Amino acid sequence: TVSTVTLDANQVSRAIEWVSQARVGTAIDLGQGVRLRLGYDTIFMEHETDSIDSVGYQLIPKDTNISLSIASELNFNGIKLVLSLDKPNDDESILYLPLPKNLLISLRTRPTGDRFKPHGMKGRSKKIKDWMIDRKIPRQLRDQIPLITANEGIIAIRVGNTWHLADLSQYIVKPNHIMYLTLGQLNS
């Protein structure tokens, strides 16, 4: 729905001053139910009740922390999650995990200060917050991004339709098993 709002000179001046000093992800209330929000390369003018655009993200509720077991299926918030030793034969987003079966696998969101070791960083860790900023994930969505952990260490992060893997070398031992994790939308 498009509506017209007339801003006075004071509101426009306030908006210009705010934009010149604001940090990405912050917002200002201009009155009359209008909010300005600064994106990475866009200024959004929106109704104060509008939610942040989450199109393209598969989000889970903030503070989610669910233990997964092999051969389990979990359905919540319109998302279906399956952990199996058998390769799925459908088109859902599949994450191949060459891990021992005895690891504790969980689906969770990030707590403050969380770190992980992205694949290709030679074992160095990075704060999840910094990793998400580098990928320009909106601040308002970061606490709802799905993370997969093994024994509390982050092994994968789901952004859009892509799994971003951590360095799994610390978990891989011979013989290992391939665990398949599928994350998809529940059929309506």
Side-chain angles (χ1 to χ4, degrees), residues 76-138:
F76 72 104
N77 270 23
I79 294 174
K80 177 175 72 171
L81 187 73
V82 180
L83 183 62
S84 172
L85 292 179
D86 300 319
K87 185 175 181 180
N89 57 2
D90 52 27
D91 292 338
E92 295 179 283
S93 179
I94 302 171
L95 175 61
Y96 301 87
L97 299 169
L99 303 171
K101 288 193 294 187
N102 62 344
L103 294 177
L104 301 172
I105 307 293
S106 296
L107 168 71
R108 68 173 176 81
T109 54
R110 70 176 184 143
T112 302
D114 218 355
R115 300 182 77 88
F116 90 121
K117 297 177 180 179
H119 181 70
M121 283 192 56
K122 300 178 181 168
R124 292 188 311 262
S125 70
K126 187 166 193 165
K127 283 186 177 180
I128 294 290
K129 174 184 175 183
D130 295 338
W131 186 88
M132 290 182 177
I133 289 170
D134 292 347
R135 277 149 193 80
K136 299 185 178 184
I137 297 169

Short mmCIF file of all heavy atoms in Angstrom, two decimals, residues 76-138:
data_model
loop_
_atom_site.label_atom_id
_atom_site.label_comp_id
_atom_site.label_asym_id
_atom_site.label_seq_id
_atom_site.Cartn_x
_atom_site.Cartn_y
_atom_site.Cartn_z
N PHE A 76 8.74 -26.81 12.18
CA PHE A 76 8.36 -25.64 12.95
C PHE A 76 8.45 -24.39 12.09
O PHE A 76 9.22 -24.34 11.15
CB PHE A 76 9.21 -25.49 14.23
CG PHE A 76 10.64 -25.07 13.96
CD1 PHE A 76 11.06 -23.78 14.19
CD2 PHE A 76 11.55 -25.98 13.47
CE1 PHE A 76 12.36 -23.40 13.94
CE2 PHE A 76 12.86 -25.60 13.21
CZ PHE A 76 13.26 -24.32 13.46
N ASN A 77 7.62 -23.42 12.39
CA ASN A 77 7.63 -22.12 11.69
C ASN A 77 7.63 -22.25 10.17
O ASN A 77 8.27 -21.47 9.49
CB ASN A 77 8.84 -21.30 12.12
CG ASN A 77 8.55 -20.44 13.31
OD1 ASN A 77 7.63 -20.74 14.08
ND2 ASN A 77 9.31 -19.40 13.50
N GLY A 78 6.95 -23.27 9.64
CA GLY A 78 6.90 -23.44 8.20
C GLY A 78 8.15 -24.04 7.60
O GLY A 78 8.31 -24.09 6.38
N ILE A 79 9.06 -24.52 8.44
CA ILE A 79 10.32 -25.10 7.98
C ILE A 79 10.36 -26.57 8.37
O ILE A 79 9.94 -26.96 9.45
CB ILE A 79 11.53 -24.36 8.60
CG1 ILE A 79 11.58 -22.92 8.09
CG2 ILE A 79 12.83 -25.09 8.29
CD1 ILE A 79 12.64 -22.07 8.75
N LYS A 80 10.86 -27.40 7.45
CA LYS A 80 11.07 -28.81 7.73
C LYS A 80 12.56 -29.08 7.76
O LYS A 80 13.29 -28.71 6.84
CB LYS A 80 10.40 -29.67 6.65
CG LYS A 80 10.64 -31.16 6.84
CD LYS A 80 9.87 -31.99 5.81
CE LYS A 80 10.49 -31.86 4.46
NZ LYS A 80 9.92 -32.79 3.47
N LEU A 81 13.05 -29.73 8.80
CA LEU A 81 14.47 -30.03 8.97
C LEU A 81 14.61 -31.53 9.20
O LEU A 81 13.94 -32.09 10.07
CB LEU A 81 15.02 -29.25 10.18
CG LEU A 81 16.50 -29.31 10.42
CD1 LEU A 81 17.24 -28.48 9.39
CD2 LEU A 81 16.81 -28.79 11.80
N VAL A 82 15.46 -32.19 8.40
CA VAL A 82 15.65 -33.64 8.51
C VAL A 82 17.14 -33.93 8.60
O VAL A 82 17.92 -33.43 7.78
CB VAL A 82 15.05 -34.38 7.29
CG1 VAL A 82 15.26 -35.88 7.41
CG2 VAL A 82 13.58 -34.04 7.11
N LEU A 83 17.55 -34.74 9.57
CA LEU A 83 18.93 -35.20 9.72
C LEU A 83 18.92 -36.71 9.50
O LEU A 83 18.21 -37.43 10.20
CB LEU A 83 19.48 -34.86 11.11
CG LEU A 83 20.94 -35.22 11.37
CD1 LEU A 83 21.87 -34.46 10.44
CD2 LEU A 83 21.30 -34.94 12.82
N SER A 84 19.68 -37.17 8.51
CA SER A 84 19.61 -38.58 8.13
C SER A 84 20.96 -39.08 7.65
O SER A 84 21.80 -38.29 7.21
CB SER A 84 18.58 -38.72 7.00
OG SER A 84 18.59 -40.00 6.47
N LEU A 85 21.16 -40.40 7.71
CA LEU A 85 22.34 -41.03 7.11
C LEU A 85 22.04 -41.47 5.67
O LEU A 85 22.94 -41.87 4.95
CB LEU A 85 22.79 -42.24 7.94
CG LEU A 85 23.35 -41.91 9.32
CD1 LEU A 85 23.72 -43.18 10.06
CD2 LEU A 85 24.54 -40.97 9.25
N ASP A 86 20.78 -41.39 5.28
CA ASP A 86 20.37 -41.76 3.93
C ASP A 86 20.25 -40.51 3.07
O ASP A 86 19.63 -39.52 3.48
CB ASP A 86 19.01 -42.47 3.95
CG ASP A 86 19.05 -43.74 4.79
OD1 ASP A 86 20.07 -44.47 4.69
OD2 ASP A 86 18.09 -43.98 5.54
N LYS A 87 20.82 -40.56 1.88
CA LYS A 87 20.78 -39.41 0.99
C LYS A 87 19.35 -39.13 0.52
O LYS A 87 18.69 -40.03 0.00
CB LYS A 87 21.67 -39.63 -0.23
CG LYS A 87 21.75 -38.41 -1.12
CD LYS A 87 22.73 -38.61 -2.25
CE LYS A 87 22.77 -37.36 -3.11
NZ LYS A 87 23.71 -37.49 -4.21
N PRO A 88 18.86 -37.91 0.74
CA PRO A 88 17.50 -37.57 0.28
C PRO A 88 17.45 -37.57 -1.25
O PRO A 88 18.45 -37.33 -1.92
CB PRO A 88 17.28 -36.16 0.82
CG PRO A 88 18.40 -35.88 1.74
CD PRO A 88 19.51 -36.83 1.43
N ASN A 89 16.28 -37.83 -1.79
CA ASN A 89 16.13 -37.84 -3.24
C ASN A 89 15.23 -36.73 -3.74
O ASN A 89 14.59 -36.85 -4.77
CB ASN A 89 15.61 -39.20 -3.71
CG ASN A 89 14.30 -39.56 -3.05
OD1 ASN A 89 13.77 -38.78 -2.27
ND2 ASN A 89 13.78 -40.73 -3.35
N ASP A 90 15.17 -35.64 -3.00
CA ASP A 90 14.34 -34.52 -3.42
C ASP A 90 15.19 -33.30 -3.68
O ASP A 90 16.40 -33.33 -3.57
CB ASP A 90 13.23 -34.24 -2.40
CG ASP A 90 13.78 -34.07 -0.99
OD1 ASP A 90 14.95 -33.67 -0.85
OD2 ASP A 90 13.04 -34.35 -0.04
N ASP A 91 14.54 -32.20 -4.03
CA ASP A 91 15.25 -30.99 -4.43
C ASP A 91 15.50 -30.01 -3.29
O ASP A 91 15.93 -28.90 -3.52
CB ASP A 91 14.46 -30.25 -5.51
CG ASP A 91 14.44 -31.03 -6.82
OD1 ASP A 91 15.33 -31.87 -7.01
OD2 ASP A 91 13.53 -30.79 -7.62
N GLU A 92 15.21 -30.41 -2.06
CA GLU A 92 15.39 -29.46 -0.96
C GLU A 92 16.88 -29.15 -0.79
O GLU A 92 17.75 -29.85 -1.28
CB GLU A 92 14.82 -30.05 0.32
CG GLU A 92 13.32 -30.24 0.24
CD GLU A 92 12.78 -30.86 1.51
OE1 GLU A 92 12.94 -32.06 1.68
OE2 GLU A 92 12.21 -30.10 2.30
N SER A 93 17.16 -28.10 -0.08
CA SER A 93 18.53 -27.69 0.17
C SER A 93 19.21 -28.71 1.08
O SER A 93 18.79 -28.91 2.22
CB SER A 93 18.53 -26.31 0.82
OG SER A 93 19.85 -25.93 1.08
N ILE A 94 20.23 -29.36 0.57
CA ILE A 94 20.89 -30.43 1.31
C ILE A 94 22.27 -29.97 1.74
O ILE A 94 23.03 -29.39 0.97
CB ILE A 94 21.03 -31.69 0.42
CG1 ILE A 94 19.65 -32.15 -0.04
CG2 ILE A 94 21.76 -32.79 1.17
CD1 ILE A 94 19.72 -33.24 -1.09
N LEU A 95 22.60 -30.27 2.99
CA LEU A 95 23.93 -30.02 3.54
C LEU A 95 24.56 -31.37 3.81
O LEU A 95 24.01 -32.18 4.54
CB LEU A 95 23.81 -29.21 4.84
CG LEU A 95 25.10 -28.95 5.61
CD1 LEU A 95 26.08 -28.14 4.77
CD2 LEU A 95 24.78 -28.21 6.90
N TYR A 96 25.72 -31.64 3.18
CA TYR A 96 26.43 -32.89 3.37
C TYR A 96 27.46 -32.69 4.48
O TYR A 96 28.32 -31.82 4.38
CB TYR A 96 27.16 -33.29 2.09
CG TYR A 96 26.24 -33.47 0.89
CD1 TYR A 96 25.91 -32.40 0.09
CD2 TYR A 96 25.71 -34.72 0.60
CE1 TYR A 96 25.06 -32.56 -1.00
CE2 TYR A 96 24.87 -34.89 -0.49
CZ TYR A 96 24.54 -33.81 -1.28
OH TYR A 96 23.71 -33.97 -2.35
N LEU A 97 27.35 -33.49 5.51
CA LEU A 97 28.24 -33.34 6.67
C LEU A 97 29.05 -34.63 6.87
O LEU A 97 28.52 -35.63 7.34
CB LEU A 97 27.42 -33.05 7.93
CG LEU A 97 26.58 -31.78 7.91
CD1 LEU A 97 25.63 -31.75 9.08
CD2 LEU A 97 27.49 -30.56 7.93
N PRO A 98 30.34 -34.64 6.52
CA PRO A 98 31.16 -35.83 6.72
C PRO A 98 31.66 -35.90 8.16
O PRO A 98 32.80 -35.57 8.47
CB PRO A 98 32.31 -35.62 5.73
CG PRO A 98 32.45 -34.13 5.66
CD PRO A 98 31.05 -33.56 5.85
N LEU A 99 30.78 -36.32 9.05
CA LEU A 99 31.06 -36.26 10.48
C LEU A 99 30.81 -37.61 11.15
O LEU A 99 29.98 -38.38 10.69
CB LEU A 99 30.16 -35.20 11.14
CG LEU A 99 30.24 -33.79 10.59
CD1 LEU A 99 29.14 -32.93 11.19
CD2 LEU A 99 31.61 -33.18 10.88
N PRO A 100 31.48 -37.85 12.26
CA PRO A 100 31.18 -39.05 13.05
C PRO A 100 29.75 -38.99 13.58
O PRO A 100 29.23 -37.91 13.86
CB PRO A 100 32.18 -39.00 14.20
CG PRO A 100 33.16 -37.96 13.86
CD PRO A 100 32.57 -37.07 12.83
N LYS A 101 29.13 -40.15 13.74
CA LYS A 101 27.74 -40.21 14.19
C LYS A 101 27.57 -39.79 15.65
O LYS A 101 26.47 -39.47 16.06
CB LYS A 101 27.18 -41.63 14.05
CG LYS A 101 26.93 -42.03 12.62
CD LYS A 101 26.10 -43.28 12.52
CE LYS A 101 26.81 -44.50 13.05
NZ LYS A 101 26.08 -45.74 12.80
N ASN A 102 28.62 -39.80 16.44
CA ASN A 102 28.48 -39.55 17.88
C ASN A 102 28.47 -38.07 18.27
O ASN A 102 28.42 -37.74 19.44
CB ASN A 102 29.58 -40.27 18.65
CG ASN A 102 30.97 -39.77 18.28
OD1 ASN A 102 31.15 -39.11 17.26
ND2 ASN A 102 31.95 -40.10 19.09
N LEU A 103 28.51 -37.17 17.30
CA LEU A 103 28.50 -35.74 17.63
C LEU A 103 27.09 -35.28 18.01
O LEU A 103 26.10 -35.80 17.53
CB LEU A 103 28.98 -34.91 16.44
CG LEU A 103 30.44 -35.08 16.05
CD1 LEU A 103 30.74 -34.26 14.80
CD2 LEU A 103 31.37 -34.69 17.16
N LEU A 104 27.03 -34.28 18.88
CA LEU A 104 25.76 -33.66 19.25
C LEU A 104 25.47 -32.54 18.25
O LEU A 104 26.15 -31.52 18.24
CB LEU A 104 25.82 -33.10 20.67
CG LEU A 104 26.14 -34.11 21.77
CD1 LEU A 104 26.36 -33.39 23.10
CD2 LEU A 104 25.04 -35.13 21.90
N ILE A 105 24.47 -32.76 17.41
CA ILE A 105 24.12 -31.80 16.36
C ILE A 105 22.93 -30.97 16.83
O ILE A 105 21.96 -31.51 17.36
CB ILE A 105 23.75 -32.53 15.04
CG1 ILE A 105 24.85 -33.50 14.62
CG2 ILE A 105 23.41 -31.53 13.94
CD1 ILE A 105 26.15 -32.84 14.22
N SER A 106 23.02 -29.65 16.65
CA SER A 106 21.94 -28.75 17.07
C SER A 106 21.66 -27.71 16.00
O SER A 106 22.53 -27.35 15.22
CB SER A 106 22.32 -28.02 18.36
OG SER A 106 22.48 -28.90 19.42
N LEU A 107 20.44 -27.23 16.02
CA LEU A 107 20.02 -26.07 15.23
C LEU A 107 19.80 -24.95 16.22
O LEU A 107 19.08 -25.13 17.21
CB LEU A 107 18.71 -26.38 14.49
CG LEU A 107 18.01 -25.17 13.85
CD1 LEU A 107 18.79 -24.68 12.64
CD2 LEU A 107 16.58 -25.52 13.47
N ARG A 108 20.45 -23.83 15.99
CA ARG A 108 20.28 -22.71 16.91
C ARG A 108 20.53 -21.39 16.20
O ARG A 108 20.91 -21.36 15.04
CB ARG A 108 21.19 -22.85 18.13
CG ARG A 108 22.67 -22.72 17.83
CD ARG A 108 23.44 -22.72 19.15
NE ARG A 108 24.88 -22.70 19.02
CZ ARG A 108 25.63 -21.64 18.79
NH1 ARG A 108 25.07 -20.45 18.61
NH2 ARG A 108 26.93 -21.73 18.73
N THR A 109 20.28 -20.31 16.95
CA THR A 109 20.62 -18.97 16.48
C THR A 109 21.85 -18.50 17.26
O THR A 109 22.31 -19.18 18.17
CB THR A 109 19.44 -18.01 16.69
OG1 THR A 109 19.05 -18.06 18.07
CG2 THR A 109 18.26 -18.38 15.81
N ARG A 110 22.34 -17.35 16.91
CA ARG A 110 23.60 -16.88 17.51
C ARG A 110 23.39 -16.20 18.85
O ARG A 110 22.50 -15.36 18.99
CB ARG A 110 24.31 -15.91 16.57
CG ARG A 110 23.55 -14.59 16.47
CD ARG A 110 24.26 -13.57 15.62
NE ARG A 110 23.48 -12.34 15.68
CZ ARG A 110 24.00 -11.13 15.72
NH1 ARG A 110 25.29 -10.96 15.66
NH2 ARG A 110 23.23 -10.08 15.79
N PRO A 111 24.23 -16.52 19.83
CA PRO A 111 24.29 -15.68 21.03
C PRO A 111 25.34 -14.59 20.80
O PRO A 111 26.15 -14.68 19.88
CB PRO A 111 24.72 -16.65 22.13
CG PRO A 111 25.48 -17.72 21.42
CD PRO A 111 24.93 -17.79 20.02
N THR A 112 25.35 -13.59 21.63
CA THR A 112 26.34 -12.51 21.53
C THR A 112 27.74 -13.08 21.66
O THR A 112 28.01 -13.92 22.51
CB THR A 112 26.09 -11.47 22.64
OG1 THR A 112 24.75 -10.99 22.50
CG2 THR A 112 27.06 -10.32 22.54
N GLY A 113 28.64 -12.63 20.80
CA GLY A 113 30.04 -13.04 20.87
C GLY A 113 30.36 -14.37 20.21
O GLY A 113 31.49 -14.84 20.27
N ASP A 114 29.38 -14.98 19.57
CA ASP A 114 29.57 -16.28 18.91
C ASP A 114 30.65 -16.18 17.84
O ASP A 114 30.77 -15.17 17.16
CB ASP A 114 28.25 -16.69 18.26
CG ASP A 114 27.95 -18.17 18.37
OD1 ASP A 114 28.82 -18.92 18.87
OD2 ASP A 114 26.86 -18.57 17.96
N ARG A 115 31.43 -17.25 17.68
CA ARG A 115 32.51 -17.30 16.70
C ARG A 115 32.43 -18.61 15.92
O ARG A 115 31.88 -19.59 16.41
CB ARG A 115 33.87 -17.22 17.37
CG ARG A 115 34.10 -15.96 18.18
CD ARG A 115 35.50 -15.94 18.78
NE ARG A 115 36.50 -15.60 17.79
CZ ARG A 115 36.88 -14.36 17.47
NH1 ARG A 115 36.34 -13.34 18.09
NH2 ARG A 115 37.78 -14.15 16.55
N PHE A 116 33.01 -18.60 14.72
CA PHE A 116 33.18 -19.85 14.00
C PHE A 116 34.39 -19.74 13.08
O PHE A 116 34.96 -18.67 12.91
CB PHE A 116 31.91 -20.26 13.27
CG PHE A 116 31.75 -19.75 11.86
CD1 PHE A 116 31.61 -20.65 10.82
CD2 PHE A 116 31.69 -18.40 11.57
CE1 PHE A 116 31.43 -20.20 9.52
CE2 PHE A 116 31.51 -17.94 10.29
CZ PHE A 116 31.38 -18.86 9.25
N LYS A 117 34.80 -20.90 12.55
CA LYS A 117 35.97 -20.97 11.70
C LYS A 117 35.51 -21.24 10.27
O LYS A 117 35.33 -22.39 9.88
CB LYS A 117 36.91 -22.08 12.18
CG LYS A 117 37.47 -21.83 13.55
CD LYS A 117 38.34 -22.99 14.02
CE LYS A 117 38.87 -22.70 15.42
NZ LYS A 117 39.70 -23.79 15.91
N PRO A 118 35.33 -20.18 9.47
CA PRO A 118 34.86 -20.38 8.10
C PRO A 118 35.83 -21.23 7.29
O PRO A 118 37.05 -21.12 7.44
CB PRO A 118 34.79 -18.96 7.53
CG PRO A 118 34.78 -18.05 8.71
CD PRO A 118 35.54 -18.77 9.78
N HIS A 119 35.27 -22.06 6.42
CA HIS A 119 36.08 -22.87 5.52
C HIS A 119 36.95 -21.93 4.68
O HIS A 119 36.49 -20.91 4.19
CB HIS A 119 35.17 -23.70 4.61
CG HIS A 119 35.91 -24.57 3.66
ND1 HIS A 119 36.62 -25.67 4.07
CD2 HIS A 119 36.07 -24.49 2.32
CE1 HIS A 119 37.18 -26.23 3.02
NE2 HIS A 119 36.86 -25.53 1.95
N GLY A 120 38.22 -22.26 4.53
CA GLY A 120 39.13 -21.45 3.73
C GLY A 120 39.90 -20.41 4.52
O GLY A 120 40.73 -19.70 3.96
N MET A 121 39.65 -20.30 5.84
CA MET A 121 40.38 -19.32 6.65
C MET A 121 41.50 -19.97 7.46
O MET A 121 41.98 -19.41 8.44
CB MET A 121 39.44 -18.56 7.57
CG MET A 121 38.65 -17.50 6.82
SD MET A 121 37.76 -16.35 7.88
CE MET A 121 39.00 -15.67 8.95
N LYS A 122 41.92 -21.17 7.05
CA LYS A 122 43.06 -21.86 7.65
C LYS A 122 42.95 -21.99 9.17
O LYS A 122 43.90 -21.77 9.90
CB LYS A 122 44.35 -21.16 7.26
CG LYS A 122 44.57 -21.13 5.77
CD LYS A 122 45.82 -20.39 5.38
CE LYS A 122 45.92 -20.41 3.85
NZ LYS A 122 46.90 -19.51 3.34
N GLY A 123 41.74 -22.31 9.64
CA GLY A 123 41.54 -22.57 11.06
C GLY A 123 41.35 -21.34 11.93
O GLY A 123 41.13 -21.47 13.13
N ARG A 124 41.43 -20.14 11.35
CA ARG A 124 41.21 -18.93 12.15
C ARG A 124 39.71 -18.73 12.36
O ARG A 124 38.90 -19.04 11.51
CB ARG A 124 41.81 -17.72 11.44
CG ARG A 124 43.33 -17.73 11.39
CD ARG A 124 43.90 -16.43 10.86
NE ARG A 124 43.25 -15.99 9.64
CZ ARG A 124 43.72 -16.18 8.41
NH1 ARG A 124 44.84 -16.82 8.24
NH2 ARG A 124 43.07 -15.73 7.37
N SER A 125 39.38 -18.19 13.51
CA SER A 125 37.96 -17.96 13.79
C SER A 125 37.58 -16.51 13.50
O SER A 125 38.44 -15.64 13.41
CB SER A 125 37.64 -18.31 15.25
OG SER A 125 38.22 -17.37 16.11
N LYS A 126 36.29 -16.31 13.36
CA LYS A 126 35.74 -14.98 13.09
C LYS A 126 34.45 -14.85 13.87
O LYS A 126 33.70 -15.81 14.00
CB LYS A 126 35.48 -14.84 11.59
CG LYS A 126 35.08 -13.46 11.17
CD LYS A 126 35.16 -13.31 9.65
CE LYS A 126 35.07 -11.85 9.31
NZ LYS A 126 35.47 -11.56 7.96
N LYS A 127 34.19 -13.66 14.39
CA LYS A 127 32.92 -13.43 15.06
C LYS A 127 31.79 -13.55 14.04
O LYS A 127 31.89 -13.06 12.92
CB LYS A 127 32.86 -12.04 15.68
CG LYS A 127 33.64 -11.89 16.96
CD LYS A 127 33.38 -10.51 17.53
CE LYS A 127 34.10 -10.34 18.85
NZ LYS A 127 33.85 -9.01 19.42
N ILE A 128 30.71 -14.22 14.47
CA ILE A 128 29.54 -14.36 13.61
C ILE A 128 29.03 -12.97 13.19
O ILE A 128 28.66 -12.76 12.04
CB ILE A 128 28.42 -15.15 14.32
CG1 ILE A 128 28.87 -16.58 14.57
CG2 ILE A 128 27.12 -15.11 13.53
CD1 ILE A 128 28.99 -17.42 13.35
N LYS A 129 29.02 -12.03 14.13
CA LYS A 129 28.55 -10.68 13.83
C LYS A 129 29.35 -10.09 12.66
O LYS A 129 28.76 -9.56 11.71
CB LYS A 129 28.70 -9.80 15.07
CG LYS A 129 28.38 -8.34 14.83
CD LYS A 129 28.65 -7.52 16.06
CE LYS A 129 28.45 -6.03 15.78
NZ LYS A 129 28.76 -5.21 16.94
N ASP A 130 30.68 -10.19 12.70
CA ASP A 130 31.51 -9.65 11.63
C ASP A 130 31.28 -10.38 10.32
O ASP A 130 31.24 -9.77 9.25
CB ASP A 130 32.99 -9.71 12.03
CG ASP A 130 33.32 -8.82 13.22
OD1 ASP A 130 32.55 -7.87 13.48
OD2 ASP A 130 34.32 -9.09 13.90
N TRP A 131 31.13 -11.70 10.40
CA TRP A 131 30.88 -12.50 9.22
C TRP A 131 29.57 -12.06 8.56
O TRP A 131 29.48 -11.91 7.34
CB TRP A 131 30.84 -13.98 9.61
CG TRP A 131 30.72 -14.92 8.46
CD1 TRP A 131 31.73 -15.47 7.72
CD2 TRP A 131 29.50 -15.43 7.91
NE1 TRP A 131 31.22 -16.28 6.74
CE2 TRP A 131 29.85 -16.28 6.84
CE3 TRP A 131 28.15 -15.26 8.21
CZ2 TRP A 131 28.90 -16.96 6.08
CZ3 TRP A 131 27.21 -15.93 7.46
CH2 TRP A 131 27.59 -16.76 6.40
N MET A 132 28.53 -11.82 9.37
CA MET A 132 27.23 -11.39 8.84
C MET A 132 27.29 -9.97 8.29
O MET A 132 26.65 -9.67 7.28
CB MET A 132 26.15 -11.53 9.91
CG MET A 132 25.82 -12.97 10.22
SD MET A 132 24.49 -13.07 11.44
CE MET A 132 24.25 -14.84 11.52
N ILE A 133 28.04 -9.10 8.92
CA ILE A 133 28.22 -7.74 8.41
C ILE A 133 28.90 -7.79 7.04
O ILE A 133 28.49 -7.11 6.10
CB ILE A 133 29.02 -6.87 9.40
CG1 ILE A 133 28.17 -6.56 10.63
CG2 ILE A 133 29.52 -5.59 8.73
CD1 ILE A 133 28.94 -5.91 11.77
N ASP A 134 29.93 -8.64 6.90
CA ASP A 134 30.62 -8.79 5.62
C ASP A 134 29.68 -9.22 4.51
O ASP A 134 29.87 -8.89 3.35
CB ASP A 134 31.76 -9.80 5.73
CG ASP A 134 32.92 -9.31 6.61
OD1 ASP A 134 32.95 -8.11 6.94
OD2 ASP A 134 33.77 -10.15 6.97
N ARG A 135 28.64 -9.98 4.85
CA ARG A 135 27.66 -10.46 3.88
C ARG A 135 26.44 -9.56 3.78
O ARG A 135 25.47 -9.89 3.11
CB ARG A 135 27.25 -11.88 4.21
CG ARG A 135 28.28 -12.84 3.65
CD ARG A 135 28.46 -14.09 4.42
NE ARG A 135 29.67 -14.77 3.96
CZ ARG A 135 30.90 -14.44 4.32
NH1 ARG A 135 31.10 -13.45 5.15
NH2 ARG A 135 31.94 -15.09 3.86
N LYS A 136 26.49 -8.44 4.48
CA LYS A 136 25.44 -7.43 4.45
C LYS A 136 24.08 -7.98 4.85
O LYS A 136 23.05 -7.61 4.29
CB LYS A 136 25.39 -6.74 3.09
CG LYS A 136 26.70 -6.03 2.78
CD LYS A 136 26.65 -5.25 1.52
CE LYS A 136 27.99 -4.54 1.34
NZ LYS A 136 28.05 -3.68 0.22
N ILE A 137 24.07 -8.85 5.83
CA ILE A 137 22.82 -9.37 6.38
C ILE A 137 22.25 -8.28 7.29
O ILE A 137 22.95 -7.80 8.19
CB ILE A 137 23.06 -10.67 7.16
CG1 ILE A 137 23.59 -11.74 6.20
CG2 ILE A 137 21.79 -11.13 7.87
CD1 ILE A 137 24.09 -12.98 6.88
N PRO A 138 21.01 -7.87 7.07
CA PRO A 138 20.45 -6.80 7.90
C PRO A 138 20.52 -7.12 9.39
O PRO A 138 20.26 -8.25 9.80
CB PRO A 138 18.99 -6.72 7.43
CG PRO A 138 19.01 -7.26 6.03
CD PRO A 138 20.07 -8.33 6.05
#
